[in-house]
Amino acid sequence: MKVAIAHEWFVSHAGSEKVVEQILQIYPQAELYSLVDFLPAELRYFIQHKPVNTSFIQKLPLAAKKFRQYLPLMPLAIEQFDLSAYDLVISSNHAVAKGVLTRPDQLHISYVHTPIRYAWDLQHQYLQQAGLNKGLKSPLTRLILHYLRLWDVASANRVDCFVANSRYIARRIWRTYRRPAKVIYPPVNVHRFRPDLPREDFYLSVSRFVPYKRVDLTVQTFAQLGLPLVVIGDGPQRQQVEAIARPPIQLLGAQPDSVVTDYMQRCRAFIFPAEEDFGITPVEAQAAGAPVIAYGRGGATETVIPDKTGLLFAQQTTASLAEAVKTFEQMRSRFSPPQIRQNAERFSIERFQQDFQAFVAATYLKFQQGDVLE
């Protein structure tokens, strides 16, 4: 069986790339397709140093740093890949990858991290943050996003089966495309963490400093509470967060995985105020035996068990988060690191490989027999 994997862009080793990494472990003979490939040499190990077939966007001016600005061209670019030689096409989609063209006798399975957020439920937030909610560029940008929505729905018909990374995303797939999706949680390297180290007197947040991650909410809340907080990460909102941070809050900036692992294994609890599609860091924290205090929407509701592996707070406000932290302070002795770790193991790499391989095999057999796929 000849296999092709289509992914939007290879520039880092983040959550969606870790899914591709494990799909490649299952199908090491697969060939890779991506709009652009700007992976540095030290990260090419996770794609097994394979060559990547790229689109014309790879060669456009300033593409290495500004490729996202070519968003209007991405639907056209993804359609130019000739995948006719493959039996199975797997797209890893959070923007346009599912739009690849295939024949009726090819099986196309799309693993969806999210439908294209800035064209759907985050459009107004995206326009505001980019300064495009008014002015001369606003009507053009809105027209482009309208076109993307039309193309996004139309291209969903090119997919034989959808796989969602959470029930939350499965609901969004249904709402956007009116298509069912099999839920297979993404792989998390739970074995890199030890849950048996002594817990210390600080809370932890690990995040990119971008608006929807709500690092500002975490820092503001802990500044009011006067509790020790360590924040690992960096991003465009760094100065804004620094302006409201004060002792005993520590901002460590971006750190290597070894440092993140060490802090997760020692923190009193992990703070996660974002509404995420899945959210890998709360699972990693639980693998390290740390309770998680998370916003009660999105993927965290599927990975955190209230009162057993953490707490969920109802609103993205300082009052709601502060109340959850105070509740945790009163009951933190009830949380069992072994039990928390056991919950995290539901999301292991081995479980992902087994579930994904079994789903593809069963689906391919049905497809070959001419059965109707759901």
Side-chain angles (χ1 to χ4, degrees):
M1 183 170 63
K2 294 195 67 177
V3 181
I5 298 173
H7 185 63
E8 268 96 11
W9 46 76
F10 285 114
V11 295
S12 64
H13 189 207
S16 62
E17 288 77 26
K18 290 177 181 178
V19 172
V20 173
E21 178 182 14
Q22 296 309 319
I23 293 175
L24 268 176
Q25 291 293 319
I26 301 170
Y27 306 105
Q29 80 281 13
E31 297 184 22
L32 295 175
Y33 289 80
S34 181
L35 295 173
V36 296
D37 172 21
F38 295 114
L39 270 181
E42 64 270 17
L43 289 181
R44 301 199 73 83
Y45 69 91
F46 83 85
I47 59 169
Q48 303 174 13
H49 299 278
K50 285 177 173 285
V52 178
N53 299 283
T54 57
S55 74
F56 63 82
I57 294 178
Q58 179 85 15
K59 298 180 180 179
L60 293 179
L62 303 176
K65 293 185 178 180
K66 303 287 187 179
F67 67 89
R68 289 180 179 84
Q69 296 188 10
Y70 291 113
L71 176 65
L73 297 177
M74 289 181 182
L76 173 64
I78 204 72
E79 292 175 345
Q80 303 313 303
F81 290 133
D82 181 5
L83 304 181
S84 59
Y86 302 96
D87 304 298
L88 170 65
V89 175
I90 301 171
S91 58
S92 165
N93 182 87
H94 58 73
V96 300
K98 74 178 192 328
V100 292
L101 302 179
T102 56
R103 300 190 316 268
D105 61 338
Q106 294 174 288
L107 176 61
H108 178 188
I109 295 175
S110 185
Y111 189 99
V112 177
H113 311 281
T114 178
I116 184 168
R117 273 190 167 275
Y118 31 88
W120 292 100
D121 50 327
L122 289 186
Q123 172 185 292
H124 302 294
Q125 181 179 332
Y126 165 73
L127 291 172
Q128 185 174 9
Q129 291 171 0
L132 295 169
N133 55 329
K134 55 187 176 181
L136 296 176
K137 292 183 179 180
S138 181
L140 177 60
T141 305
R142 293 174 190 272
L143 181 63
I144 290 171
L145 293 176
H146 174 70
Y147 150 73
L148 275 176
R149 284 190 291 273
L150 295 177
W151 179 89
D152 192 37
V153 172
S155 64
N157 291 321
R158 303 172 191 174
V159 177
D160 294 298
C161 287
F162 281 103
V163 179
N165 70 353
S166 64
R167 295 195 300 271
Y168 176 67
I169 290 302
R171 290 193 296 270
R172 293 190 64 230
I173 290 171
W174 175 256
R175 185 183 64 191
T176 307
Y177 309 133
R178 286 297 186 259
R179 296 281 301 278
K182 168 74 172 178
V183 176
I184 299 179
Y185 292 114
V188 181
N189 185 8
V190 299
H191 300 302
R192 84 177 220 233
F193 300 95
R194 289 182 56 186
D196 56 345
L197 297 180
R199 313 316 300 185
E200 297 183 17
D201 246 2
F202 66 89
Y203 291 82
L204 177 66
S205 172
V206 179
S207 176
R208 286 183 293 123
F209 288 21
V210 293
Y212 87 94
K213 295 286 191 179
R214 299 309 314 268
V215 182
D216 59 327
L217 172 63
T218 300
V219 172
Q220 188 173 22
T221 302
F222 276 81
Q224 291 180 6
L225 292 172
L227 291 173
L229 171 71
V230 173
V231 182
I232 296 176
D234 207 344
Q237 280 198 313
R238 176 69 183 261
Q239 289 186 336
Q240 179 182 336
V241 173
E242 286 178 338
I244 57 176
R246 57 177 180 266
I249 297 172
Q250 300 179 61
L251 303 181
L252 301 187
Q255 297 291 332
D257 285 350
S258 59
V259 174
V260 173
T261 299
D262 176 55
Y263 275 91
M264 281 186 171
Q265 291 173 161
R266 296 186 290 114
C267 68
R268 183 185 297 180
F270 185 81
I271 309 298
F272 190 75
E275 181 181 347
E276 281 280 16
D277 305 320
F278 174 73
I280 287 179
T281 53
V283 178
E284 292 179 330
Q286 291 175 83
V292 174
I293 302 173
Y295 178 45
R297 290 191 63 182
T301 63
E302 301 172 47
T303 62
V304 179
I305 303 174
D307 300 331
K308 291 186 178 180
T309 72
L311 297 175
L312 299 176
F313 59 96
Q315 297 177 316
Q316 285 178 314
T317 63
T318 54
S320 186
L321 175 54
E323 185 62 31
V325 173
K326 291 175 183 176
T327 300
F328 173 79
E329 285 286 319
Q330 295 170 358
M331 60 181 295
R332 58 184 173 136
S333 61
R334 302 183 195 174
F335 291 98
S336 164
Q339 185 179 42
I340 295 172
R341 169 58 177 256
Q342 185 177 21
N343 179 55
E345 288 173 352
R346 297 189 293 133
F347 309 99
S348 69
I349 289 173
E350 295 80 6
R351 184 272 323 158
F352 172 83
Q353 291 181 348
Q354 180 178 350
D355 289 356
F356 190 80
Q357 187 172 19
F359 173 77
V360 172
T363 303
Y364 190 76
L365 179 60
K366 288 182 180 180
F367 184 75
Q368 291 293 91
Q369 293 174 341
D371 294 345
V372 176
L373 302 179
E374 297 181 357

